[in-house]
Amino acid sequence: MSVTILSPDDILTPDQLADGKTGEMGFVTTTLAKGVNWARANSVWPALFGLACCAIEMMHSQMARNDMSRFGMELMRASPRQSDLIIVAGRLSRKMAPVIRRIYDQMPEPKWVISMGDCASCGGIFNNYALVQGVDEVIPVDVYVAGCPPRPEALMYGIMKLHEKIQAEGMDSWRDRKGGLGIQVGS
Amino acid sequence: MTKQTDVVAAPAPADVVAAVHKQLGERVTVDDGGALVVGPSNLIDVVRALRDDHGLDYLANLTAVDWLDRFEVVYHLCSSAGGAPIVLKTTTDRANPRVPSLFGIYPGADFQEREVYDMFGIRFAGHPNLKRILMWEGFAGWPLRKDWREAYFEQEHKPLTSRWPDGQFFFGEDKLTDWGSNTKLPPAYTGAEIGRPKPQEGQYVVDIDALRRGTSFGSDRLVVNMGPQHPSTHGVFQMRLVLDGETVVDLEPVMGYMHRNHEKIGERNLWLGNMPFTDRLDYIAQLGSEWGYALCVERMMGLEVPERAEYIRVIMAELNRIQSHFWSIGFLLNDLGAFFTPSLYAIEEREIVLDLFEMATGSRLMCNYMRFGGVAYDLPDAFMPLVNVLVNERMERAIDEIDAYLTNNEIVMERMKGVGVLTPELAIAYSTSGPVLRGSGVAYDVRRADPYGIYDRFDWNVVTANEGDVYARYAVRIGEMRESLKILRQALPQMPAGEILGGKKAWQVRVPAGEHYARVENPRGELGYYCVSDGKANPYRYHVRSPCFVNLTSLAEMCKGYKVADVVAILGSIDIVLGEVDR
């Protein structure tokens, strides 16, 4: 079997090459889910929401040195209604638990959660009555990032893992995915 | 506009105690530790005499100790002119704990008394707003009482037989209450009203009917909740603003959204085991927090710190101060609307300091570097060349750059000058500290007022500004960064070789029975540690006097009469770190 390698010059006219963005070059086939997920994964807007020490490292990961915007997710939204991702960066106290649940419920679907750091993931070193032992007691978590606090690089790795996860999943919401009903907060 | 002053030394606490004893006679006694002891009925008179006749105008710290047969409320009073604090104690019985409130004498007692009420259930008679501050209203029990057992650690109040009664794995969304599981609520408490504050009936609600009838031309008051999720609250902090139009009439800070009871954990840990927890108090100025705790325990144990370790501590703490001020200036400008551009430049410098911390301690943020009697590791070889370049060349330029672009910027001045004014008298009365106090013209810096470490060897000045507004606090921070550089330039070449950890190397330390209140000047103000030892393996009482928490007491005073947008700037100028506010 012989293989012919074609260069763009062989199949495109010079005009088409010069004006390559006309959309007349051909077409791409994919599934709707893949296309949608590609778009979703590359424009994840996190909520501007920090709890504790990990929030400092979260901010560092947006700053000049680490520059999270390389991954299309620098646009932190101060309103949960405009965000797709909530990075729970820090310890979650019982007093804060209803608040974070409400913030999560205010986010539009599809939405994802990264639990950043040990406290958010499992209570960390603060194992006592005042803290929720892991944010997954209150909201469903997609990616856990370990560390106390995780370095900015670790957070970015977690975000890239989330991108992989988004690209691999269907278009269902988390309620469909997990068969849960969620809870109603507020009236 | 900033000026630099020297502080005059105040008389020693022992002399003041003797003078007080002489004046007040039988109403006070002096205990073995040199503390004044007074009965609750005489407390107000004695404290007023201490303030008016003996110059103790600054309530540094207020806390309580549960001795199982009685409660002891402990006050640390000092003079805003400097000097070590005087300890004043009063006792109350456990069955009906009641102590007069010092709110009328020191308004700075406000939040601290509420905290003691929240944690111990001691009622402060005469306090205008005595309710829980860190836990939520309706929480059962008084967590810092010694007979209050923690769920999952101590059996008595364990609410469930197993931590995972239905097996360890479940979908979070399947079995939730508003509070998560693993909590104990008082009987008949539903939690329905928590987290959903309602305006009080008739008081602040707009009278829609009156508006419709057109009879109401005056403006009504509105309650607006800012936070706990708000981009300008620097974490999870809530303010309830009472507004008349856009003007703030009253303000109530609501905190505790990150409360994990650091002190209860501290009383469970071994002495050394608390060191990593102190990092997580003020996570922007970690090494200063560690130093305060190390200082307290060292003084209780009578440990000597080797020369080299003292220098390393000063270098670390001052680098810490510089990076922390960079951070707070960057985010103050964020709050003013310069979205992220100044912070990008400021945090670039902070990254380099964090690199140095990582080099020396192994961690960027949670350093866990100080030990009782020194520091954990010596500085690596590559540290000195880098820190020299940073201190002698780069930092100065970075501060100049920020100074040049911001200090005389028209918009910055317009937003900051004359906003959030706090007079020196009020600043002292509200027990503020750090740049908030010095921005009001009070030259009070713990490094000078109650010296610790080796700060007396260096030539540096306490930076103050007289205006008392947001701009003055900003200017004090800029000035302090330059003074820190000055200290670093002196400390780096002087640093001797030698030991870095005095005493015997041990995992477990024995702290003799006794108590001590040690304080350090953290970037945000006076950070104090009050430890009580009963000679056992862990602290009997471990209290942190958090500068941010106490500084917030003055927030309402600063905000009244200004607009909502100014509240954001004022809060940014106090520069709170919620890890330390809520503990």
Side-chain angles (χ1 to χ4, degrees), chain A residues 48-49 51-53 56-57 59-60 63 65 78 91 93-96 98-99 101 103 125-130 133 136-138 148-149 151 174 178, chain B residues 134 136 143 150 153 163 172-173 176 178-179 181-183 229 236 255 257-261 265 268 280 283 331 340 344 347 350-351 355 358 364 366:
Chain A
L48 185 58
F49 175 75
L51 282 171
C53 336
I56 305 299
E57 286 296 54
M59 285 182 239
H60 270 286
M63 292 300 164
R65 185 186 286 186
R91 51 192 98 98
S93 73
R94 296 202 181 283
K95 196 170 180 178
M96 190 65 194
V99 182
R101 178 72 212 192
I103 291 170
I125 58 171
F126 298 108
N127 193 350
N128 77 350
Y129 72 97
Q133 297 297 306
D136 50 6
E137 283 195 24
V138 184
C148 189
R151 297 175 63 89
W174 64 263
K178 295 188 175 157
Chain B
L134 296 174
W136 58 87
E150 252 185 284
F153 280 94
R163 181 157 173 206
E173 55 268 39
L176 294 175
D178 262 10
W179 305 103
S181 58
N182 188 5
T183 188
Q229 146 65 358
V236 282
M255 53 198 93
Y257 289 101
M258 215 167 44
H259 177 64
R260 68 271 181 197
N261 215 334
I265 296 175
R268 187 169 81 205
R280 285 146 182 95
Y283 35 74
F331 278 84
F340 270 110
L344 277 171
I347 289 172
R350 186 180 136 94
E351 288 273 9
D355 283 349
E358 187 177 7
R364 282 160 55 89
M366 302 303 155

Coordinates of all heavy atoms in Angstrom, one line a residue, chain A residues 48-49 51-53 56-57 59-60 63 65 78 91 93-96 98-99 101 103 125-130 133 136-138 148-149 151 174 178, chain B residues 134 136 143 150 153 163 172-173 176 178-179 181-183 229 236 255 257-261 265 268 280 283 331 340 344 347 350-351 355 358 364 366:
Chain A
L48 N -15.1 34.0 41.0 CA -14.1 34.7 41.8 C -14.5 34.4 43.3 O -15.2 35.2 43.9 CB -14.2 36.2 41.5 CG -13.1 37.1 42.2 CD1 -11.8 36.7 41.8 CD2 -13.4 38.5 41.8
F49 N -14.0 33.3 43.7 CA -14.4 32.9 45.0 C -13.3 32.2 45.8 O -12.8 31.2 45.3 CB -15.6 31.9 44.8 CG -16.0 31.2 46.1 CD1 -16.8 31.9 47.0 CD2 -15.7 29.9 46.4 CE1 -17.3 31.4 48.2 CE2 -16.1 29.3 47.6 CZ -16.9 30.1 48.4
L51 N -11.7 31.1 49.6 CA -12.0 30.9 51.0 C -10.8 31.2 51.9 O -10.9 32.1 52.8 CB -12.5 29.5 51.3 CG -13.9 29.1 50.9 CD1 -14.1 27.7 51.0 CD2 -14.9 29.9 51.8
A52 N -9.7 30.5 51.8 CA -8.6 30.6 52.7 C -7.3 30.6 52.0 O -7.2 31.2 50.9 CB -8.7 29.5 53.8
C53 N -6.3 30.0 52.7 CA -4.9 30.1 52.2 C -4.8 29.7 50.7 O -4.1 30.3 49.9 CB -4.0 29.2 53.0 SG -4.5 28.8 54.6
I56 N -5.0 32.2 48.0 CA -3.8 33.0 47.7 C -3.0 32.3 46.6 O -2.6 33.0 45.6 CB -2.9 33.1 49.0 CG1 -3.7 33.7 50.2 CG2 -1.7 34.0 48.7 CD1 -4.2 35.1 50.0
E57 N -2.9 31.0 46.7 CA -2.2 30.3 45.6 C -3.0 30.4 44.3 O -2.5 30.4 43.2 CB -1.9 28.9 46.0 CG -0.7 28.7 47.0 CD 0.6 29.2 46.5 OE1 0.7 30.3 46.0 OE2 1.6 28.4 46.6
M59 N -4.8 32.9 43.4 CA -4.6 34.2 42.8 C -3.2 34.2 42.2 O -3.0 34.8 41.1 CB -4.7 35.3 43.8 CG -6.1 35.6 44.2 SD -6.2 36.9 45.4 CE -7.1 36.1 46.7
H60 N -2.2 33.5 42.9 CA -0.9 33.5 42.3 C -0.9 32.8 40.9 O -0.1 33.1 40.0 CB 0.1 32.7 43.2 CG 0.7 33.6 44.2 ND1 1.7 34.5 43.8 CD2 0.5 33.8 45.5 CE1 2.1 35.2 44.9 NE2 1.4 34.8 45.9
M63 N -1.6 35.2 38.3 CA -0.7 36.4 38.1 C 0.4 36.2 37.1 O 0.4 35.1 36.4 CB -0.1 36.7 39.5 CG -1.1 37.2 40.5 SD -1.9 38.7 39.9 CE -3.3 38.8 41.0
R65 N 3.4 35.4 36.7 CA 4.4 34.3 36.5 C 3.7 33.0 36.0 O 4.2 32.4 35.1 CB 5.1 33.9 37.8 CG 6.1 32.9 37.6 CD 6.8 32.4 38.9 NE 7.7 33.5 39.4 CZ 8.4 33.2 40.5 NH1 8.4 32.1 41.1 NH2 9.2 34.2 41.0
A78 N -17.1 37.6 39.2 CA -17.5 37.8 40.6 C -18.9 37.3 40.8 O -19.3 37.1 42.0 CB -17.4 39.3 40.9
R91 N -10.6 25.9 53.5 CA -11.4 25.2 54.4 C -12.9 25.7 54.4 O -13.1 26.9 54.3 CB -10.8 25.3 55.8 CG -10.5 26.8 56.2 CD -9.7 26.8 57.5 NE -8.3 27.0 57.1 CZ -7.7 28.2 57.2 NH1 -8.3 29.2 57.5 NH2 -6.4 28.3 56.9
S93 N -16.2 26.1 56.5 CA -16.7 26.0 57.8 C -18.2 25.7 57.7 O -18.8 25.8 56.7 CB -16.5 27.3 58.6 OG -17.4 28.2 58.1
R94 N -18.8 25.2 58.8 CA -20.2 24.9 58.8 C -21.0 26.1 58.6 O -22.1 26.1 58.1 CB -20.6 24.2 60.1 CG -19.9 22.9 60.3 CD -20.6 21.9 61.2 NE -19.8 20.7 61.2 CZ -19.8 19.8 60.3 NH1 -20.6 20.0 59.2 NH2 -19.0 18.8 60.3
K95 N -20.5 27.3 59.1 CA -21.2 28.5 58.9 C -21.3 28.9 57.4 O -22.2 29.5 57.0 CB -20.6 29.6 59.7 CG -21.4 30.9 59.9 CD -20.8 31.8 60.9 CE -21.6 33.0 61.1 NZ -21.0 33.9 62.1
M96 N -20.2 28.5 56.7 CA -20.1 28.9 55.3 C -20.9 27.9 54.4 O -21.2 28.2 53.3 CB -18.6 28.9 54.9 CG -18.3 29.5 53.6 SD -18.8 31.3 53.5 CE -18.7 31.5 51.7
P98 N -23.9 26.6 54.0 CA -25.1 26.9 53.3 C -24.9 28.0 52.2 O -25.5 28.0 51.2 CB -26.1 27.5 54.4 CG -25.5 27.2 55.7 CD -24.0 26.9 55.4
V99 N -23.9 28.8 52.5 CA -23.6 29.9 51.6 C -23.0 29.3 50.3 O -23.4 29.7 49.2 CB -22.6 30.9 52.2 CG1 -22.3 32.0 51.2 CG2 -23.2 31.4 53.5
R101 N -23.3 26.3 49.2 CA -24.3 25.6 48.5 C -25.2 26.5 47.7 O -25.6 26.2 46.5 CB -25.2 24.8 49.5 CG -26.3 24.0 49.0 CD -25.8 22.8 48.2 NE -26.6 22.5 47.1 CZ -26.6 21.3 46.4 NH1 -25.7 20.4 46.7 NH2 -27.4 21.1 45.5
I103 N -24.3 29.4 46.5 CA -23.5 29.9 45.3 C -23.5 28.9 44.2 O -23.7 29.2 43.1 CB -22.1 30.3 45.8 CG1 -22.1 31.5 46.7 CG2 -21.2 30.5 44.6 CD1 -20.8 31.8 47.4
I125 N -5.9 19.4 57.9 CA -5.4 19.4 59.3 C -6.5 19.9 60.3 O -6.3 19.7 61.5 CB -4.1 20.2 59.5 CG1 -4.3 21.6 59.1 CG2 -3.0 19.6 58.7 CD1 -3.1 22.5 59.5
F126 N -7.5 20.5 59.8 CA -8.5 21.1 60.7 C -9.6 20.1 60.9 O -10.7 20.2 60.3 CB -9.0 22.4 60.2 CG -8.0 23.4 60.0 CD1 -7.5 23.8 58.8 CD2 -7.4 24.0 61.2 CE1 -6.5 24.8 58.7 CE2 -6.5 24.9 61.1 CZ -6.0 25.3 59.8
N127 N -9.4 19.0 61.7 CA -10.4 18.0 61.8 C -11.1 18.3 63.1 O -10.8 17.7 64.1 CB -9.6 16.6 61.9 CG -10.6 15.5 61.8 OD1 -11.8 15.7 61.8 ND2 -10.1 14.3 61.6
N128 N -12.1 19.2 63.0 CA -12.9 19.4 64.2 C -14.3 19.8 63.9 O -14.8 19.8 62.8 CB -12.2 20.4 65.2 CG -12.3 21.8 64.7 OD1 -12.8 22.1 63.6 ND2 -11.9 22.7 65.5
Y129 N -15.1 20.1 65.0 CA -16.5 20.3 64.9 C -16.9 21.5 64.0 O -18.0 21.6 63.5 CB -17.1 20.6 66.3 CG -16.7 22.0 66.8 CD1 -17.6 23.0 66.7 CD2 -15.4 22.2 67.4 CE1 -17.2 24.3 67.2 CE2 -15.1 23.4 67.8 CZ -16.0 24.5 67.7 OH -15.6 25.7 68.2
A130 N -16.0 22.5 63.8 CA -16.4 23.7 63.2 C -16.3 23.6 61.6 O -16.8 24.5 60.9 CB -15.6 24.9 63.6
Q133 N -16.0 18.4 56.8 CA -14.8 17.5 56.5 C -14.9 17.2 55.0 O -15.2 16.0 54.6 CB -14.8 16.3 57.4 CG -14.7 16.6 58.8 CD -13.4 17.3 59.2 OE1 -12.3 16.8 58.8 NE2 -13.5 18.5 59.8
D136 N -17.2 18.0 49.5 CA -18.1 17.1 48.8 C -19.2 16.6 49.7 O -20.1 15.9 49.3 CB -17.3 15.8 48.3 CG -16.5 15.2 49.3 OD1 -16.5 15.6 50.5 OD2 -15.7 14.3 48.9
E137 N -19.2 17.0 51.0 CA -20.4 16.8 51.8 C -21.5 17.8 51.4 O -22.7 17.6 51.7 CB -20.1 17.0 53.3 CG -19.3 15.9 53.9 CD -19.4 16.0 55.5 OE1 -20.3 16.6 56.0 OE2 -18.5 15.5 56.1
V138 N -21.2 18.8 50.7 CA -22.1 19.9 50.4 C -22.4 20.0 48.9 O -23.5 20.2 48.5 CB -21.7 21.2 51.0 CG1 -22.7 22.3 50.8 CG2 -21.4 21.1 52.5
C148 N -1.1 21.5 50.6 CA -1.6 22.4 51.7 C -0.6 23.6 51.8 O 0.3 23.6 52.6 CB -1.6 21.6 53.0 SG -2.3 22.6 54.3
P149 N -0.8 24.6 51.0 CA -1.7 24.6 49.8 C -1.1 24.0 48.6 O 0.2 23.9 48.5 CB -2.0 26.1 49.6 CG -0.7 26.7 50.1 CD -0.2 25.9 51.2
R151 N 0.6 24.1 45.0 CA 1.3 25.1 44.3 C 0.4 25.5 43.1 O -0.5 24.8 42.7 CB 2.6 24.6 43.8 CG 3.5 24.2 44.9 CD 4.8 23.6 44.3 NE 5.5 24.5 43.4 CZ 6.4 25.4 43.9 NH1 6.8 25.3 45.2 NH2 7.0 26.2 43.1
W174 N -25.0 17.4 35.9 CA -24.6 16.5 37.0 C -25.7 15.7 37.6 O -25.5 14.6 38.1 CB -23.7 17.2 38.0 CG -24.4 18.3 38.8 CD1 -24.5 19.6 38.5 CD2 -25.2 18.1 40.0 NE1 -25.2 20.3 39.5 CE2 -25.7 19.4 40.4 CE3 -25.6 17.0 40.7 CZ2 -26.5 19.6 41.5 CZ3 -26.4 17.2 41.9 CH2 -26.8 18.5 42.2
K178 N -25.3 11.8 37.9 CA -25.2 11.1 39.2 C -26.5 10.6 39.8 O -26.5 10.1 40.9 CB -24.5 12.0 40.2 CG -23.0 12.3 39.7 CD -22.2 13.0 40.7 CE -20.8 13.1 40.2 NZ -20.0 14.2 40.7
Chain B
L134 N -18.4 34.3 66.1 CA -17.7 33.3 65.3 C -18.6 32.2 64.9 O -18.6 31.8 63.7 CB -16.4 32.9 65.9 CG -15.4 34.0 66.2 CD1 -14.2 33.4 66.9 CD2 -14.9 34.6 64.9
W136 N -22.5 30.4 64.6 CA -23.7 31.0 64.2 C -24.7 31.1 65.4 O -24.5 30.3 66.4 CB -24.3 30.2 63.1 CG -24.6 28.8 63.4 CD1 -25.7 28.3 64.0 CD2 -23.7 27.7 63.1 NE1 -25.6 26.9 64.1 CE2 -24.4 26.5 63.6 CE3 -22.5 27.6 62.5 CZ2 -23.8 25.3 63.4 CZ3 -21.9 26.3 62.4 CH2 -22.6 25.2 62.9
P143 N -17.7 26.3 72.9 CA -16.6 25.4 72.5 C -15.3 25.4 73.3 O -14.7 24.4 73.4 CB -16.4 25.8 71.0 CG -17.6 26.5 70.6 CD -18.2 27.1 71.8
E150 N -15.5 17.8 72.0 CA -15.6 17.9 70.5 C -16.1 16.7 69.9 O -15.6 15.6 70.3 CB -14.2 18.2 70.0 CG -13.9 19.5 69.5 CD -12.6 19.6 68.9 OE1 -11.6 19.6 69.6 OE2 -12.5 19.6 67.7
F153 N -13.8 13.5 68.6 CA -12.5 13.4 69.3 C -12.7 13.0 70.8 O -12.0 12.2 71.3 CB -11.8 14.7 69.3 CG -11.1 14.9 68.0 CD1 -11.6 15.6 67.0 CD2 -9.8 14.3 67.8 CE1 -11.0 15.7 65.8 CE2 -9.2 14.4 66.6 CZ -9.8 15.1 65.6
R163 N -18.4 7.9 62.3 CA -18.3 9.1 61.5 C -19.0 8.9 60.2 O -19.5 9.8 59.5 CB -16.9 9.4 61.3 CG -16.7 10.6 60.4 CD -15.3 11.2 60.7 NE -15.2 12.3 59.7 CZ -14.1 12.7 59.2 NH1 -13.0 12.2 59.7 NH2 -14.0 13.7 58.4
G172 N -22.7 13.2 47.6 CA -23.0 14.3 48.5 C -24.4 14.9 48.4 O -25.0 15.2 49.3
E173 N -24.8 14.9 47.1 CA -26.1 15.6 46.9 C -27.3 14.8 47.4 O -28.4 15.2 47.4 CB -26.3 16.0 45.4 CG -26.2 14.8 44.5 CD -24.8 14.7 43.9 OE1 -23.8 14.8 44.7 OE2 -24.6 14.4 42.8
L176 N -28.1 15.6 52.2 CA -27.5 16.9 52.7 C -28.5 17.6 53.5 O -29.7 17.6 53.3 CB -27.2 17.7 51.5 CG -26.1 17.2 50.6 CD1 -25.9 18.1 49.4 CD2 -24.8 17.2 51.4
D178 N -28.5 21.7 55.1 CA -27.8 23.0 54.8 C -26.5 23.0 55.5 O -25.6 23.7 55.0 CB -28.7 24.1 55.4 CG -29.5 24.7 54.3 OD1 -29.5 24.1 53.2 OD2 -30.1 25.8 54.5
W179 N -26.3 22.3 56.5 CA -25.0 22.4 57.3 C -24.1 21.2 57.0 O -23.1 21.1 57.6 CB -25.3 22.4 58.8 CG -26.3 23.5 59.1 CD1 -27.6 23.4 59.4 CD2 -26.0 24.9 59.2 NE1 -28.1 24.6 59.7 CE2 -27.2 25.5 59.6 CE3 -24.8 25.6 59.1 CZ2 -27.2 26.9 59.7 CZ3 -24.9 27.0 59.2 CH2 -26.1 27.6 59.5
S181 N -23.4 17.1 57.1 CA -23.7 16.2 58.2 C -22.7 16.5 59.3 O -22.0 17.6 59.2 CB -23.5 14.7 57.7 OG -22.2 14.5 57.2
N182 N -22.5 15.7 60.3 CA -21.5 15.9 61.3 C -21.6 17.1 62.0 O -20.7 17.9 62.3 CB -20.1 15.8 60.5 CG -18.9 15.8 61.5 OD1 -19.1 15.7 62.7 ND2 -17.7 15.9 61.0
T183 N -22.8 17.5 62.4 CA -23.0 18.7 63.2 C -24.0 18.4 64.3 O -24.9 17.6 64.1 CB -23.3 19.9 62.4 OG1 -23.2 21.0 63.2 CG2 -24.7 19.8 61.8
Q229 N -19.9 36.2 49.9 CA -19.2 36.0 48.7 C -19.3 37.3 48.0 O -20.3 37.7 47.4 CB -19.9 34.9 47.9 CG -19.9 35.0 46.4 CD -18.6 34.9 45.8 OE1 -17.5 34.9 46.4 NE2 -18.5 35.0 44.5
V236 N -14.1 35.5 52.9 CA -15.5 35.3 53.2 C -15.9 36.1 54.4 O -15.8 35.7 55.6 CB -15.9 33.8 53.4 CG1 -16.0 33.2 52.1 CG2 -14.8 33.1 54.2
M255 N -18.8 37.9 60.9 CA -17.6 37.1 60.5 C -17.8 35.7 61.0 O -18.9 35.3 61.5 CB -16.3 37.7 61.0 CG -16.4 38.0 62.5 SD -15.1 39.2 62.9 CE -15.9 40.7 62.8
Y257 N -17.1 33.0 59.0 CA -17.4 32.1 57.9 C -16.1 31.2 57.7 O -16.2 30.3 56.8 CB -17.7 32.8 56.7 CG -19.1 33.5 56.8 CD1 -19.3 34.8 57.1 CD2 -20.2 32.7 56.6 CE1 -20.5 35.3 57.2 CE2 -21.5 33.2 56.7 CZ -21.6 34.5 57.0 OH -22.9 35.1 57.2
M258 N -15.0 31.5 58.3 CA -13.9 30.6 58.2 C -13.4 30.1 59.5 O -12.3 29.7 59.7 CB -12.8 31.2 57.4 CG -12.1 30.2 56.5 SD -11.0 30.9 55.4 CE -10.1 32.1 56.1
H259 N -14.3 30.1 60.5 CA -13.9 29.8 61.8 C -13.7 28.3 61.9 O -14.5 27.5 61.6 CB -15.0 30.2 62.8 CG -14.7 29.8 64.2 ND1 -13.7 30.3 64.9 CD2 -15.4 29.0 65.1 CE1 -13.7 29.8 66.1 NE2 -14.7 29.0 66.2
R260 N -12.5 27.9 62.4 CA -12.2 26.4 62.6 C -11.8 26.2 64.1 O -11.3 25.2 64.4 CB -11.2 25.9 61.6 CG -9.8 26.4 61.8 CD -9.6 27.7 61.0 NE -8.2 28.2 61.1 CZ -7.8 29.4 60.8 NH1 -8.7 30.2 60.3 NH2 -6.6 29.8 60.9
N261 N -11.9 27.2 64.9 CA -11.5 27.1 66.3 C -10.0 26.7 66.4 O -9.7 25.7 67.0 CB -12.4 26.3 67.1 CG -12.5 26.9 68.5 OD1 -11.6 27.5 69.0 ND2 -13.6 26.6 69.2
I265 N -8.1 23.7 68.7 CA -7.1 22.7 68.1 C -5.8 22.9 68.8 O -5.1 22.0 69.1 CB -7.0 23.0 66.6 CG1 -8.3 22.7 65.9 CG2 -5.9 22.2 66.0 CD1 -8.3 23.0 64.4
R268 N -5.4 21.1 72.0 CA -5.4 19.7 71.8 C -4.0 19.2 71.3 O -3.5 18.1 71.6 CB -6.4 19.3 70.7 CG -6.6 17.9 70.5 CD -7.8 17.7 69.6 NE -7.5 17.9 68.2 CZ -8.4 18.3 67.3 NH1 -9.6 18.6 67.6 NH2 -8.0 18.5 66.0
R280 N -1.3 29.2 59.2 CA -2.6 29.3 58.5 C -3.5 30.3 59.2 O -4.6 30.4 58.8 CB -3.2 27.9 58.5 CG -2.6 27.0 57.5 CD -2.5 25.5 58.0 NE -1.8 24.7 57.0 CZ -0.6 24.4 57.0 NH1 0.2 24.8 58.0 NH2 0.0 23.6 56.1
Y283 N -2.2 34.0 56.4 CA -1.4 33.2 55.4 C -0.7 34.1 54.4 O -0.1 33.6 53.5 CB -2.3 32.2 54.7 CG -3.7 32.7 54.5 CD1 -4.0 33.7 53.6 CD2 -4.8 32.2 55.3 CE1 -5.3 34.1 53.4 CE2 -6.1 32.6 55.1 CZ -6.3 33.6 54.2 OH -7.6 34.0 54.0
F331 N -4.0 44.9 46.3 CA -5.4 44.6 46.3 C -6.3 45.8 46.8 O -7.4 45.8 46.5 CB -5.6 43.3 47.2 CG -5.4 42.1 46.4 CD1 -4.1 41.6 46.2 CD2 -6.4 41.5 45.7 CE1 -3.9 40.5 45.4 CE2 -6.2 40.4 44.9 CZ -5.0 39.9 44.8
F340 N -6.7 44.6 38.9 CA -5.5 43.7 38.7 C -4.3 44.3 38.1 O -3.3 43.6 38.2 CB -5.9 42.4 37.9 CG -6.5 41.4 38.9 CD1 -7.8 41.0 38.9 CD2 -5.6 40.8 39.8 CE1 -8.3 40.1 39.8 CE2 -6.1 39.8 40.7 CZ -7.4 39.5 40.7
L344 N -0.8 42.9 39.7 CA 0.1 42.1 38.8 C 1.5 42.5 39.1 O 2.4 41.6 39.2 CB -0.3 42.3 37.4 CG -1.4 41.4 36.8 CD1 -1.8 41.8 35.4 CD2 -1.0 39.9 36.8
I347 N 2.6 41.6 42.8 CA 2.7 40.2 43.2 C 3.9 39.6 42.4 O 4.4 38.6 42.9 CB 1.4 39.5 42.9 CG1 0.4 40.0 44.0 CG2 1.5 38.0 43.0 CD1 -1.0 39.6 43.8
R350 N 6.3 39.8 45.0 CA 6.0 38.8 46.1 C 6.4 37.4 45.7 O 6.9 36.7 46.5 CB 4.5 38.9 46.3 CG 4.0 38.0 47.5 CD 2.5 38.1 47.7 NE 2.0 36.8 47.9 CZ 1.8 36.2 49.1 NH1 2.0 36.9 50.2 NH2 1.3 35.0 49.3
E351 N 6.3 37.1 44.4 CA 6.7 35.8 44.0 C 8.2 35.5 44.3 O 8.6 34.4 44.7 CB 6.5 35.7 42.5 CG 5.1 35.6 42.0 CD 4.5 34.1 42.0 OE1 5.2 33.3 42.5 OE2 3.4 33.9 41.5
D355 N 9.9 32.7 46.6 CA 10.9 31.8 46.1 C 12.0 31.7 47.2 O 12.5 30.6 47.5 CB 11.6 32.4 44.8 CG 10.7 32.1 43.6 OD1 9.8 31.3 43.8 OD2 11.0 32.6 42.6
E358 N 10.8 29.6 49.9 CA 10.8 28.2 49.5 C 12.2 27.6 49.6 O 12.4 26.5 50.1 CB 10.2 28.0 48.1 CG 10.1 26.6 47.7 CD 9.5 26.4 46.4 OE1 9.3 27.4 45.7 OE2 9.2 25.3 46.0
R364 N 6.4 27.5 50.0 CA 6.1 28.9 49.6 C 5.3 29.6 50.6 O 5.6 30.8 51.0 CB 5.3 28.9 48.3 CG 6.1 28.7 47.0 CD 5.2 28.2 45.9 NE 4.1 29.2 45.6 CZ 4.2 30.2 44.8 NH1 5.3 30.4 44.2 NH2 3.2 31.0 44.6
M366 N 3.3 27.9 53.6 CA 3.2 27.4 54.9 C 4.6 26.9 55.3 O 4.9 25.8 55.2 CB 2.2 26.2 54.9 CG 0.8 26.6 54.4 SD 0.2 27.9 55.4 CE -1.0 28.7 54.4

